[in-house]
């Protein structure tokens, strides 16, 4: 299925429209999240958004995926991120254990084949799908595109819940905080990743049909954000 640039932009923008619906002056706007919910200090936070040290480029020695697949449990609490490097305005959790253990330019690869690895992959792919390189690498049924990058939405991850899991696919909802008209609000994005060709991948039909929705707090979700 061939996707137009307008269609992708609409999908990327729809979350901010949902956010606008809950904070942008409607008849019943949702309140801004309490400080302890929107910026938790104990939700698996690692270091700051800045990447610590140079990004390791792939070599013959580092090309083999070193992510740890041994823990197949669905995480009962927020996994610890070793850092939260900035990806076009969004902090993305990274882990030496669960991935991505290789970061080269826009494309970050090597996530563990586990529920936690899938969670880290989803948290990266949600903002990264705006990149042409990432779509070519991770959207399994999308043709190569020369349309260029799309606008990267600037929102910060606040929490998640895993809604389905087996060894071939993991479905999660990722809750992001963003701002519109000077007010902040929370938006939940459903994301499903599929284990294909030794990596977690996205399906184009899922991206096109995603339906983010506004939430008023993190009840029912696990808090997960930079500390």
């Amino acid at each position: 299925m061939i996707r137009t640039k307008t269609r992708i932009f609409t999908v990327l923008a729809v979350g901010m429209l949902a956010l606008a619906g809950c904070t942008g002056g409607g008849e019943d706007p949702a309140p801004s999240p309490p400080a302890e919910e929107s910026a938790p200090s104990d939700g698996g936070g690692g270091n700051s958004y800045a990447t610590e040290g140079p990004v390791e480029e792939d070599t013959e020695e580092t090309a083999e995926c070193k992510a740890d697949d041994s823990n197949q449990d669905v995480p009962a609490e927020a996994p610890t991120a070793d850092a939260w490097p900035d990806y076009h305005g969004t902090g993305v959790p990274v882990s030496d254990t669960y991935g991505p253990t290789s970061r080269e330019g826009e494309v970050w690869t090597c996530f563990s084949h586990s529920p936690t690895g899938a969670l880290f992959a989803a948290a990266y792919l949600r903002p990264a799908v705006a990149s042409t390189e990432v779509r070519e690498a991770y959207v399994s049924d999308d043709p190569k595109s020369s349309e260029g990058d799309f606008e990267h939405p600037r929102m910060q991850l606040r929490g998640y819940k895993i809604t389905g899991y087996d060894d071939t696919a993991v479905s999660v909802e990722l809750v992001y905080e963003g701002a519109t008209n000077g007010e902040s609000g929370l938006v939940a994005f459903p994301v499903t990743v599929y284990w294909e060709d030794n990596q977690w991948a996205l399906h184009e039909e899922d991206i096109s049909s995603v339906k983010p929705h506004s939430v008023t707090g993190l009840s029912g979700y696990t808090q997960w954000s930079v500390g």
Side-chain angles (χ1 to χ4, degrees):
M1 182 185 300
I2 297 176
R3 185 169 65 238
T4 65
K5 185 170 184 177
T6 300
R7 195 165 154 223
I8 280 293
F9 179 80
T10 300
V11 171
L12 292 171
V14 71
M16 291 309 294
L17 292 176
L19 181 59
C22 71
T23 64
E27 292 185 4
D28 187 22
S32 298
E36 63 268 20
E37 290 191 342
S38 63
S41 60
D42 58 353
N47 297 312
S48 69
Y49 291 127
T51 304
E52 296 186 354
V55 172
E56 182 179 280
E57 301 291 336
D58 284 340
T59 65
E60 277 189 38
E61 290 75 20
T62 63
E64 182 182 356
C65 180
K66 295 180 173 62
D68 185 355
D69 299 339
S70 61
N71 183 358
Q72 292 296 313
D73 294 334
V74 173
E77 56 186 30
T80 298
D82 295 317
W84 290 74
D86 180 273
Y87 190 96
H88 296 284
T90 297
V92 173
V94 298
S95 166
D96 291 341
T97 301
Y98 301 109
T101 61
S102 174
R103 284 181 279 158
E104 186 172 6
E106 298 284 314
V107 181
W108 300 2
T109 59
C110 192
F111 295 89
S112 68
H113 185 194
S114 68
T116 306
L119 178 61
F120 275 89
Y124 158 66
L125 289 169
R126 175 58 257 175
V129 75
S131 164
T132 299
E133 292 178 78
V134 173
R135 293 197 308 275
E136 291 178 350
Y138 278 102
V139 182
S140 62
D141 50 1
D142 188 37
K144 301 293 184 183
S145 171
S146 59
E147 296 177 0
D149 292 350
F150 306 109
E151 182 177 347
H152 291 265
R154 293 176 175 268
M155 296 185 285
Q156 299 306 333
L157 183 61
R158 295 305 183 205
Y160 73 91
K161 66 179 175 182
I162 294 178
T163 57
Y165 171 73
D166 62 31
D167 62 355
T168 63
V170 176
S171 296
V172 304
E173 281 194 6
L174 299 173
V175 178
Y176 288 87
E177 182 179 23
T180 182
N181 297 331
E183 296 185 47
S184 64
L186 299 175
V187 178
F189 286 87
V191 181
T192 298
V193 292
Y194 302 85
W195 188 253
E196 298 174 349
D197 298 325
N198 294 316
Q199 70 172 7
W200 293 111
L202 297 172
H203 285 181
E204 192 274 343
E205 62 183 19
D206 292 338
I207 299 172
S208 299
S209 62
V210 66
K211 295 181 179 179
H213 56 94
S214 61
V215 295
T216 57
L218 292 177
S219 176
Y221 295 91
T222 300
Q223 296 180 16
W224 197 31
S225 67
V226 64

